[in-house]
Amino acid sequence: MDLLKIENVTKSFANHVALDDVSLSIPEGSIYGLLGPNGAGKTTLLRIINRIIAPDSGRVLFGGKEIAAEDVCHIGYMPEERGLYKKMKVGEQAIFFARLKGMSRKEATEKLKAWFQKFGIEDWWNKDIGELSKGMAQKVQFITTVLHEPKLLIFDEPFSGFDPINANLLKEEILALRDKGATIIFSTHNMSSVEEVCDHITLIDKAKNILSGNVNEIRHKHGSNIFEISYRGEEEALVKAMTEVCEVMESKPAPKGYNTMKVHIASDAEVRRVIAAANDSVEIRSFSEVIPSMNDIFIRAVNGNL
Amino acid sequence: MKNKIGIIIGREFNERVRKKSFIITTLLTPLLMLGLMAAPMLFAEYSSSEGKKIAVVDESNAIAQYLQSSDEIIFEQTELPIELARQAHSEDFAILHIGKEIMTNPADVRLYTNSAASITLEMNIESQLKMVIESMKLQQQEIENLPAILASVQTDVKLQSFSNQGSSEESNAKANSSIVATVIAYVLSFILYMFILLYGVMVMQSVIEEKNSRVLEVMVSSVRPMEMMMGKILGVASVALLQISIWLLLIFGVGYFVLPELIPNEIAMAVSMMQQGASPEALGAEANMSLIQALATLTDVGYLLKITASLIMFMVGGFLLYAALFAAVGSAVDTPQDAQQLQTPITIPIILSLFVMLSVINDPTSEIAFWFSMIPLTSPIVMMARIPYDIPAWEILLSLGLLIGTFIIIAWAAGKIYRVGILIHGSKPSFKELWKWMRYK
């Protein structure tokens, strides 16, 4: 069952179109990656889901019904730009945000104490946010986002600004929330973080949904006929030879050891021709098929080569 | 949804009221005002502890004996000729030299001061000389029974003004003192000016701060922008109300306990007789009517209640209107510097109303006074300058109604700008763009 469904949403601002007829559906209990380069329209879509702005046309269904004001209590949103009141005590501030999401003061206090204990930050309760470091403040922000146990959690660039240890802690917590039944949307341009955790993705570029689906399916569907060549010889010569017979995806010269290059070959029949061409220009050390990373797919999709 | 506005109002109120700066300004400002009022009196007390000695050389031999010494000025006649007197009395404050021709030539008098003379001192000497010379000239007319005639001619007019509203019966006519009304009008409209400007700018700055710290982006997912804006405005308004209430309580408290101690009994009696509608004759012609009227006005509970209630209503109305405008400006910019240009059209009517207020105080029923106290942007301050002068109730109510109606329209428009502004960073919008934002879906 789909918890959230976006149907033909279009939104334009004074000078540009931010979303052009975007549709997607997010299954309940999944971790959903919303990918795309900067300025593609991800944040606009998240704001529409949060009812911060209204779409020009199209609709958003939450749990099968058109999303309404009451539904924001079931959504937790951590925007890319984190913000807390600098001159307010951590505890009071967290209670304030919880109450805005419809929790009572008592309930919020109890749950907050539990979370603070879990993160080992009980003694921050009476500190001003201004006294905390950026990473510490982000932990508080995370807690305020998930405290009201929303059905839908939306994280915009969640790992930016976290050190690797805390980023990992955060990832664990997010997976734990998913296991408890929450549906999670990740918005990011950082592909490696997506591959590990996301079940489904949508790729948005220039206001359009250009690729949607299950991560494994996408990788296999678009992962055929990608080969990695490692070789000794001149990079330029190989690039020149390869562009004639196939598509060069990535070329990494290595000062020590072998240079490598990734290519996409249009059809199985071409493989032998490509190998022959490569063999003519450089000394091949290995030639093997690879399953592409999401990053490869992302770049090929954005460049219009899928 | 109302509940969410309540939570935001609560946060704004608590955070501001708990600040040390709020507690300090609330308690210190009245002390500072008292100090400012008391200072001139204290200075006067200390500076005039010793009377100024003035040696008088009177060549006309007719005037010196009539000069009257007071606490401030002590006249001492000397027989020395002027040149010697100027040397002999160099320790005194001054030497007054009255020439022989003083009776025919009023300019034949000189004052030699050993230090700077004050205007009040010179005026005192001039008026004393004038009186002495005038009465001597009258005597030269050789009128019979002159002192008796003069005594019977002397009159001290005591104008009493009454409001012509309400019952025409003399006993119900309320005394009202225009001096008191002027002072109250001046003070109240000035307080209103300060509150609207200071607290309005406070709203703007706090919106800019929250926008910069990105708190607004976090909040906007749980609260509608309109509610955020109204919560902030009402929160700051409640802080302003608390502050003005504390001040009013202090003023009334001090007035209630201290005034009776300061007023002599017979005046207090006269005041209460007057409030009960006694005719001026009954109070006796000796009474200082303007003082009694002033006190009667100041201790008239109905009058004070009306003024206090109007102050609070116009303060809240005016503040809400301007705060909505300031909030919209704050939401549109990134720094207070960028706000300068956009906030100018908001501050101009505030300053304009202060100037209009100064003319309204002289003529509270003029056309200008009426219209500026109806136009919503200037009405709070200008109306507050008119209310102490007993203007018709319908004017007050109409003005208040217009103010509230305008606030609703402005708040709606400001909310539209706010909604767009808080999410846009890095641009300094023009008025044209603000207009566009208002029309976004």
Side-chain angles (χ1 to χ4, degrees):
Chain A
M1 184 189 154
D2 294 333
L3 179 69
L4 189 76
K5 229 176 149 91
I6 313 283
E7 288 181 350
N8 309 95
V9 163
T10 297
K11 175 79 187 174
S12 44
F13 293 110
N15 308 319
H16 71 288
V17 179
L19 290 174
D20 185 4
D21 196 23
V22 169
S23 299
L24 53 96
S25 40
I26 297 174
E28 193 160 3
S30 67
I31 298 188
Y32 200 96
L34 198 58
L35 316 179
N38 290 323
K42 300 187 300 277
T43 302
T44 304
L45 181 60
L46 294 185
R47 283 177 177 169
I48 287 174
I49 296 172
N50 275 298
R51 288 176 50 88
I52 295 168
I53 50 180
D56 295 339
S57 64
R59 47 185 205 152
V60 178
L61 301 177
F62 185 80
K65 279 180 292 198
E66 193 138 357
I67 195 160
E70 306 83 68
D71 293 326
V72 294
C73 290
H74 302 297
I75 301 180
Y77 176 40
M78 187 159 92
E80 180 175 5
E81 301 283 359
R82 319 289 152 71
L84 294 164
Y85 287 103
K86 287 197 180 61
K87 286 175 196 153
M88 206 173 166
K89 304 265 181 257
V90 172
E92 256 174 82
Q93 179 147 224
I95 291 175
F96 170 68
F97 282 112
R99 289 179 68 203
L100 286 182
K101 283 289 185 192
M103 293 173 83
S104 73
R105 180 181 286 278
K106 189 168 160 259
E107 189 190 1
T109 313
E110 280 167 14
K111 287 199 174 145
L112 276 170
K113 296 271 186 203
W115 271 101
F116 273 47
Q117 224 159 21
K118 193 170 183 181
F119 279 12
I121 56 173
E122 298 103 309
D123 49 338
W124 293 2
W125 190 270
N126 276 320
K127 277 190 185 167
D128 280 356
I129 290 283
E131 293 174 57
L132 306 183
S133 73
K134 201 180 167 200
M136 290 157 107
Q138 299 238 31
K139 275 191 193 172
V140 177
Q141 185 106 48
F142 175 78
I143 294 173
T144 61
T145 308
V146 303
L147 189 75
H148 58 292
E149 292 168 7
K151 287 184 202 160
L152 179 63
L153 274 163
I154 302 173
F155 297 99
D156 199 350
E157 296 294 351
F159 303 112
S160 72
F162 273 100
D163 61 58
I165 295 171
N166 279 319
N168 209 41
L169 177 75
L170 198 67
K171 200 188 291 170
E172 297 299 317
E173 287 303 332
I174 290 172
L175 290 174
L177 286 166
R178 191 261 319 260
D179 295 342
K180 280 187 201 158
T183 306
I184 291 154
I185 301 178
F186 267 128
S187 163
T188 184
H189 55 255
N190 176 3
M191 296 307 131
S192 62
S193 62
V194 169
E195 241 164 325
E196 298 168 46
V197 292
C198 288
D199 313 317
H200 297 75
I201 60 132
T202 277
L203 185 52
I204 294 182
D205 184 47
K206 298 198 186 97
K208 286 190 166 115
N209 176 356
I210 56 174
L211 181 66
S212 250
N214 182 290
V215 171
N216 288 329
E217 282 169 21
I218 288 178
R219 280 179 66 176
H220 284 103
K221 187 171 161 201
H222 299 283
S224 51
N225 295 334
I226 291 182
F227 295 86
E228 190 177 72
I229 312 166
S230 62
Y231 61 95
R232 204 146 58 188
E234 266 189 49
E235 186 194 4
E236 275 173 46
L238 184 62
V239 169
K240 195 161 167 268
M242 289 295 101
T243 33
E244 281 168 21
V245 288
C246 62
E247 177 202 334
V248 176
M249 291 172 63
E250 185 182 285
S251 172
K252 280 188 195 157
K256 293 171 193 165
Y258 307 124
N259 296 335
T260 56
M261 176 179 283
K262 254 185 208 169
V263 295
H264 181 249
I265 298 171
S267 68
D268 293 345
E270 300 281 300
V271 173
R272 295 177 65 183
R273 218 155 69 89
V274 173
I275 294 175
N279 199 26
D280 285 347
S281 48
V282 293
E283 179 191 335
I284 296 174
R285 286 285 148 175
S286 76
F287 192 98
S288 54
E289 184 168 15
V290 290
I291 291 185
S293 64
M294 282 308 295
N295 203 37
D296 298 330
I297 296 173
F298 178 79
I299 292 168
R300 296 192 61 225
V302 168
N303 291 334
N305 289 332
L306 265 192
Chain B
M1 282 300 141
K2 267 185 191 141
N3 191 22
K4 285 189 181 173
I5 295 188
I7 296 169
I8 295 173
I9 294 175
R11 197 204 77 85
E12 292 289 335
F13 184 81
N14 284 330
E15 287 300 305
R16 284 168 203 283
V17 168
R18 274 191 233 153
K19 267 193 201 152
K20 279 197 195 91
S21 58
F22 174 79
I23 299 168
I24 290 170
T25 42
T26 306
L27 296 181
L28 280 192
T29 310
L31 284 181
L32 203 70
M33 299 286 261
L34 271 183
L36 281 179
M37 285 194 290
M41 284 190 247
L42 287 176
F43 287 140
E45 184 75 15
Y46 283 105
S47 58
S48 62
S49 55
E50 219 174 291
K52 288 170 178 143
K53 264 191 202 164
I54 294 179
V56 183
V57 177
D58 186 4
E59 288 172 3
S60 71
N61 265 329
I63 291 172
Q65 63 266 36
Y66 296 111
L67 293 176
Q68 291 186 346
S69 298
S70 64
D71 286 346
E72 288 89 39
I73 305 172
I74 299 157
F75 293 106
E76 271 181 359
Q77 204 175 351
T78 168
E79 299 302 323
L80 293 169
I82 179 65
E83 288 78 16
L84 291 175
R86 283 176 63 182
Q87 286 163 19
H89 290 276
S90 59
E91 295 291 300
D92 288 355
F93 183 77
I95 302 101
L96 181 66
H97 177 208
I98 303 172
K100 274 200 218 58
E101 307 298 323
I102 183 75
M103 291 299 288
T104 49
N105 175 15
D108 194 10
V109 56
R110 291 182 178 77
L111 186 70
Y112 300 96
T113 55
N114 291 316
S115 58
S118 69
I119 289 178
T120 48
L121 180 107
E122 284 176 15
M123 277 167 58
N124 183 316
I125 295 172
E126 267 177 1
S127 72
Q128 286 216 34
L129 287 173
K130 177 172 145 53
M131 271 167 61
V132 171
I133 293 167
E134 278 176 0
S135 70
M136 285 172 72
K137 281 182 178 172
L138 269 175
Q139 271 166 7
Q140 282 168 0
Q141 302 290 319
E142 295 186 355
I143 303 167
E144 273 182 68
N145 290 334
L146 183 66
I149 295 174
L150 283 180
S152 72
V153 163
Q154 201 173 50
T155 321
D156 192 4
V157 175
K158 287 157 180 161
L159 179 73
Q160 303 164 71
S161 55
F162 293 90
S163 164
N164 199 24
Q165 308 286 315
S167 164
S168 59
E169 279 175 50
E170 168 73 6
S171 61
N172 281 341
K174 238 184 349 180
N176 72 26
S177 156
S178 52
I179 300 173
V180 170
T182 307
V183 172
I184 292 183
Y186 190 81
V187 171
L188 292 190
S189 46
F190 202 76
I191 287 180
L192 212 62
Y193 165 79
M194 299 277 289
F195 262 79
I196 289 179
L197 203 57
L198 287 181
Y199 277 90
V201 170
M202 191 190 277
V203 167
M204 184 184 79
Q205 280 172 342
S206 113
V207 171
I208 294 176
E209 207 182 296
E210 287 177 18
K211 188 183 165 185
N212 279 335
S213 70
R214 315 284 167 152
V215 177
L216 293 181
E217 289 211 42
V218 178
M219 276 173 73
V220 82
S221 63
S222 13
V223 194
R224 294 217 326 269
M226 188 67 179
E227 294 171 327
M228 276 159 65
M229 188 185 84
M230 287 311 297
K232 168 155 298 277
I233 293 174
L234 292 174
V236 174
S238 59
V239 176
L241 266 185
L242 177 72
Q243 191 163 51
I244 199 96
S245 310
I246 292 175
W247 289 351
L248 286 173
L249 273 181
L250 281 176
I251 291 169
F252 287 144
V254 168
Y256 184 78
F257 290 107
V258 176
L259 262 189
E261 304 290 320
L262 291 179
I263 302 171
N265 265 341
E266 61 267 26
I267 293 187
M269 291 269 291
V271 169
S272 69
M273 281 164 74
M274 185 153 202
Q275 281 178 338
Q276 281 151 22
S279 67
E281 294 77 38
L283 303 176
E286 306 304 311
N288 181 342
M289 287 310 297
S290 59
L291 176 66
I292 292 175
Q293 272 201 337
L295 287 170
T297 309
L298 272 181
T299 51
D300 178 350
V301 176
Y303 182 73
L304 291 181
L305 272 182
K306 183 179 121 190
I307 295 224
T308 313
S310 320
L311 174 67
I312 287 175
M313 282 189 294
F314 278 96
M315 194 180 92
V316 171
F319 170 78
L320 290 180
L321 176 60
Y322 275 101
L325 291 168
F326 275 117
V329 169
S331 74
V333 297
D334 287 336
T335 63
Q337 286 74 34
D338 290 348
Q340 290 292 345
Q341 188 204 345
L342 290 178
Q343 87 183 81
T344 309
I346 306 176
T347 41
I348 285 174
I350 304 184
I351 293 165
L352 174 71
S353 29
L354 197 67
F355 283 110
V356 174
M357 177 270 276
L358 293 176
S359 94
V360 163
I361 278 185
N362 291 327
D363 190 357
T365 52
S366 66
E367 291 257 305
I368 289 185
F370 177 79
W371 287 109
F372 277 94
S373 65
M374 290 299 149
I375 299 168
L377 284 172
T378 53
S379 68
I381 292 170
V382 176
M383 193 44 119
M384 214 51 235
R386 295 182 67 208
I387 287 174
Y389 297 95
D390 260 343
I391 57 160
W394 68 266
E395 288 190 18
I396 301 179
L397 293 177
L398 176 62
S399 169
L400 202 59
L402 285 173
L403 186 63
I404 293 168
T406 314
F407 162 68
I408 292 171
I409 297 169
I410 293 278
W412 174 81
K416 294 259 175 193
I417 293 175
Y418 190 90
R419 179 189 63 143
V420 180
I422 54 173
L423 296 175
I424 290 184
H425 291 274
S427 70
K428 195 175 145 190
S430 61
F431 289 107
K432 208 176 140 198
E433 276 170 277
L434 292 187
W435 176 244
K436 254 192 220 159
W437 291 2
M438 264 175 62
R439 292 181 305 164
Y440 278 162
K441 191 183 162 191

